[in-house]
Amino acid sequence: MASLKGLMSLCSVSDSDAALSWAWTQLCRYTFNRVNRDDVQDDQLAECFEELVAFRLRLNQNGGRLPTSESVDKWSRSFSSSANDVNAVIRDIITRQLGHTDLLYRGMD
């Protein structure tokens, strides 16, 4: 069974408790608190968890904003601080990592 403590021990990205806690909250939110089920491989959750933690750390480095465009010559960078953009990236990470599992199923049993 996956748990925050178990995933924290597998995560090699960060020692930041805030980023780890945030990633766990996102996993619980998008999977409707189904991350404790036995039928999901821990390595699938661990990869998703680690990618979420890495995303949060990159987000923190940019002041909570997402890079939207970059230029090379005469360096330029544009950012978006929209919560919708951040949520879209979170949803994409979780869907890509866990979309083939039943954790994201929203239908009736």
Side-chain angles (χ1 to χ4, degrees):
M1 253 197 294
S3 66
L4 176 58
K5 189 177 286 187
L7 289 173
M8 285 172 62
S9 66
L10 295 173
C11 187
S12 62
V13 175
S14 167
D15 292 328
S16 169
D17 289 340
L20 295 169
S21 178
W22 178 87
W24 177 255
T25 301
Q26 298 309 314
L27 272 177
C28 290
R29 178 176 152 213
Y30 281 93
T31 61
F32 309 102
N33 292 321
R34 290 187 222 155
V35 291
N36 289 325
R37 291 188 44 183
D38 291 326
D39 58 347
V40 176
Q41 300 294 322
D42 282 346
D43 58 341
Q44 293 170 336
L45 280 173
E47 287 178 24
C48 183
F49 184 73
E50 195 163 322
E51 191 171 346
L52 285 170
V53 170
F55 171 70
R56 178 60 182 205
L57 292 174
R58 283 192 312 272
L59 200 60
N60 287 347
Q61 289 174 347
N62 292 328
R65 302 173 299 162
L66 287 174
T68 56
S69 66
E70 295 181 351
S71 298
V72 175
D73 196 28
K74 306 263 183 174
W75 179 248
S76 173
R77 194 173 205 186
S78 300
F79 292 94
S80 168
S81 58
S82 169
N84 290 335
D85 293 340
V86 172
N87 286 333
V89 172
I90 295 166
R91 187 177 55 249
D92 289 344
I93 291 170
I94 293 173
T95 302
R96 184 173 12 90
Q97 294 284 345
L98 302 176
H100 60 284
T101 68
D102 62 343
L103 290 174
L104 303 181
Y105 179 68
R106 293 184 180 203
M108 295 181 64
D109 290 332

